[in-house]
Amino acid sequence: RACPAGGPGAMAQPRVLLTKDPAPQAIPASDLPMEVCEVAVNTGPDSSSGLATAGFRTAKYLLPEWHQSNADLYHKAFAGCEQAERGRAEAKELAEHAAATAQRAQQDSTATLGQRLQDIHFWKTELQKEIEDLDAETGLLAAQKLRLERALDATEVPYAIATDNLQCRERRQLPDLVSDEVERELLKEAELIRNIQELLKRTLMQAGNQMRLNRDHKEICETDWSDKVETYNIDDKCGRYSNQSTNIQFHPSSVKFEESASTPETWAKFSHDNIYRAEREKLASINLRALIDNILHDVSEDLRMQCAAVNEAFAKRCEELDDTKHKLEHHLKKICKEIGDQEANIAALKQAIKDKEAPMKVAQTRLYDRSFRPNVELCRDEAQFRLISEAEELTESIESLKKKLLESEQFLRNLEDTRMNLEKEIAVKTNSIFIDRQKCMAHRTRYPVVLKLAGYH
């Protein structure tokens, strides 16, 4: 029937507000014929008036609620649009500000790198100039040092002549063994040459030390210059980077200050101190060169004046030189014989070591094969102990022979060095005998000239 029945059962339905449209009826109401139902009006205490439509009424929104719901959606949509628009504006403003800030920061960094390049170039130029000056000064000092060496070498001949003449005159027989003017001048010449040699040696040592200091400070400046060249290239490359560069990438770990990094003040002071010390050494080198020049001038003049005072030299010291030469030759003969014996001893020791190889192989092979004995047969028997003892004895013998071989080879090297020294001394004595016998007065005519004594030749 089209008319719903009302009764006590209808009141038991829950009053729940539906959140969606109710399901359509199986049979639409319009398809059934409408029938008017007369319902008795009950207005008494047990009346059920209005309960028949309670289920339909409670399952729907009220009209004000529907309007409020739509209004809430409108408001939410409007607020969302307004908030999104405000967020877009803020995002755009933030992006523009970030882009401008990044551009200014990059420009400032580029300008700072450019200023840094100028500072590096300044100190690099100063260091390069100092390096060139030090190198040139060291070359000049090396030339003066070479003059000193030549002058020192040039004093050997006058000293040998004066010494030889004095020794020869000591062998004069009476009554000619007198202390005359020649002997006094020869003694003065020998003493003068010795003092000059000591002076030249001290000056040579001083020049060598100064050259070492020059090179050390030049190396320090070169290291500093090299670091600045490398740094200049790095900063120059960094200054050429742009946002369009293809060789840039993220390095998050590089955004930090190194603990060992210097400050601009200490950085500049480091190069300044290097240049200052280099300048100080360069000035010391210049003063030393002037001192060397004065020393060589005075030395050459003193030697030539003393040479003019010595007019002649006399007999030679042949007996002493011959005796020394014969002794050296005698010792050389003994050394050569001992070298032959030592070489034979070394060969015998090498053969003895080689002879121990076969017994060692036998002992070690026996031990190796016995290590494959099965199970309980792998016994520490007397044979095993004796084989191990044999191997240890052979090893000890070989080590003793090798030690003795090394000792013998060292003896041989010492003998060879002694032989070389003896041969050198014999050659020196032979040359001295030749000078004493044949040169003397003729040799004094070959006294070094002033230029050679001054170190120019």
Side-chain angles (χ1 to χ4, degrees):
R1 294 174 66 86
C3 181
M11 295 179 65
Q13 294 179 358
R15 295 178 179 273
V16 179
L17 183 64
L18 298 178
T19 59
K20 63 180 179 178
D21 296 337
Q25 298 180 3
I27 300 175
S30 61
D31 293 342
L32 297 177
M34 299 297 294
E35 182 180 354
V36 179
C37 296
E38 294 181 1
V39 181
V41 178
N42 185 3
T43 57
D46 296 328
S47 175
S48 60
S49 178
L51 294 178
T53 60
F56 290 98
R57 186 172 62 249
T58 58
K60 295 182 175 63
Y61 286 102
L62 298 176
L63 187 61
E65 293 176 344
W66 179 78
H67 286 294
Q68 183 64 37
S69 176
N70 290 334
D72 291 342
L73 288 176
Y74 301 154
H75 177 72
K76 185 180 294 185
F78 176 77
C81 291
E82 185 180 14
Q83 185 177 8
E85 184 178 0
R86 186 169 57 252
R88 284 189 293 105
E90 291 176 356
K92 182 178 179 181
E93 182 181 359
L94 179 61
E96 291 176 353
H97 180 267
T101 302
Q103 184 178 5
R104 286 195 302 271
Q106 190 177 91
Q107 290 174 352
D108 292 343
S109 298
T110 303
T112 305
L113 283 172
Q115 182 61 42
R116 184 63 174 172
L117 285 174
Q118 294 180 5
D119 296 341
I120 295 174
H121 179 72
F122 170 77
W123 286 111
K124 180 168 66 71
T125 304
E126 293 296 320
L127 285 168
Q128 184 174 0
K129 179 178 179 299
E130 192 61 34
I131 290 169
E132 293 173 354
D133 291 346
L134 263 181
D135 186 59
E137 177 58 32
T138 304
L140 295 175
L141 184 58
Q144 291 292 76
K145 183 172 179 288
L146 181 60
R147 286 185 60 194
L148 283 172
E149 292 172 349
R150 289 172 176 171
L152 181 60
D153 293 338
T155 59
E156 295 296 330
V157 173
Y159 186 73
I161 292 173
T163 304
D164 178 71
N165 288 339
L166 286 170
Q167 292 177 349
C168 290
R169 289 177 64 81
E170 289 298 325
R171 293 194 293 270
R172 290 177 298 165
Q173 297 180 354
L174 294 174
D176 295 333
L177 190 58
V178 294
S179 179
D180 53 9
E181 185 65 21
V182 175
E183 185 171 336
R184 288 192 293 271
E185 293 298 333
L186 283 173
L187 290 172
K188 287 173 59 178
E189 185 179 42
E191 183 66 21
L192 175 63
I193 293 174
R194 281 196 297 269
N195 294 335
I196 287 174
Q197 286 179 340
E198 291 298 324
L199 175 61
L200 294 179
K201 287 178 182 178
R202 289 195 303 270
T203 310
L204 265 175
M205 186 178 299
Q206 187 176 357
N209 291 335
Q210 187 61 52
M211 288 179 63
R212 178 180 56 80
L213 291 174
N214 289 354
R215 292 192 179 101
D216 289 345
H217 284 81
K218 176 175 172 283
E219 183 178 355
I220 293 173
C221 291
E222 285 175 341
T223 302
D224 194 2
W225 177 85
S226 177
D227 291 344
K228 282 180 171 50
V229 169
E230 184 177 357
T231 304
Y232 186 91
N233 294 334
I234 292 174
D235 284 355
D236 183 61
K237 181 178 69 173
C238 292
R240 296 177 188 276
Y241 284 145
S242 66
N243 296 333
Q244 289 74 35
S245 299
T246 59
N247 55 342
I248 56 176
Q249 56 183 333
F250 289 108
H251 296 283
S253 61
S254 64
V255 186
K256 62 180 181 179
F257 286 104
E258 298 292 340
E259 294 181 0
S260 59
S262 61
T263 63
E265 293 76 14
T266 58
W267 174 80
K269 185 177 183 299
F270 179 77
S271 297
H272 177 271
D273 291 345
N274 289 338
I275 293 175
Y276 173 76
R277 288 191 292 267
E279 282 287 337
R280 185 177 58 191
E281 296 302 330
K282 184 175 70 174
L283 181 60
S285 180
I286 292 173
N287 295 333
L288 181 59
R289 283 196 295 112
L291 176 63
I292 291 173
D293 193 59
N294 293 333
I295 288 174
L296 291 175
H297 178 268
D298 295 342
V299 162
S300 59
E301 288 297 324
D302 292 344
L303 286 175
R304 286 305 304 172
M305 289 176 61
Q306 187 60 32
C307 177
V310 180
N311 297 318
E312 58 185 271
F314 300 98
K316 306 172 185 178
R317 52 186 187 116
C318 296
E319 293 181 3
E320 181 182 357
L321 292 175
D322 284 336
D323 182 60
T324 303
K325 180 183 176 183
H326 291 155
K327 289 180 180 179
L328 291 173
E329 289 174 346
H330 176 69
H331 286 293
L332 178 61
K333 186 182 296 183
K334 291 175 62 178
I335 287 293
C336 290
K337 182 178 180 302
E338 185 60 31
I339 287 175
D341 295 341
Q342 196 64 30
E343 289 175 347
N345 181 43
I346 291 173
L349 286 172
K350 289 181 178 179
Q351 185 61 40
I353 293 172
K354 187 175 181 181
D355 291 342
K356 298 296 180 296
E357 292 179 358
M360 178 63 77
K361 290 179 181 179
V362 172
Q364 291 182 355
T365 303
R366 287 174 175 176
L367 287 170
Y368 177 75
D369 289 345
R370 283 174 62 85
S371 66
F372 291 99
R373 289 176 294 170
N375 301 325
V376 74
E377 295 301 326
L378 189 63
C379 177
R380 298 180 181 178
D381 52 10
E382 185 63 28
Q384 185 75 7
F385 284 113
R386 188 64 191 93
L387 285 172
I388 293 175
S389 175
E390 179 187 1
E392 292 176 350
E393 290 174 359
L394 287 171
T395 301
E396 184 178 355
S397 298
I398 290 173
E399 291 299 325
S400 299
L401 289 171
K402 287 182 178 179
K403 183 177 180 182
K404 181 57 68 175
L405 177 61
L406 292 176
E407 183 179 346
S408 299
E409 288 176 345
Q410 183 61 42
F411 288 157
L412 180 60
R413 286 192 291 269
N414 293 340
L415 290 172
E416 291 288 351
D417 292 341
T418 304
R419 184 186 69 176
M420 186 179 297
N421 292 334
L422 287 173
E423 289 175 348
K424 188 182 296 185
E425 286 299 321
I426 290 173
V428 171
K429 293 299 181 293
T430 303
N431 183 60
S432 298
I433 292 172
F434 172 77
I435 293 175
D436 288 344
R437 285 178 177 171
Q438 311 237 355
K439 300 300 178 182
C440 202
M441 286 298 295
H443 200 188
R444 288 199 67 84
T445 61
R446 301 179 183 179
Y447 201 92
V449 297
V450 176
L451 291 177
K452 188 169 185 179
L453 292 173
Y456 288 110
H457 296 291

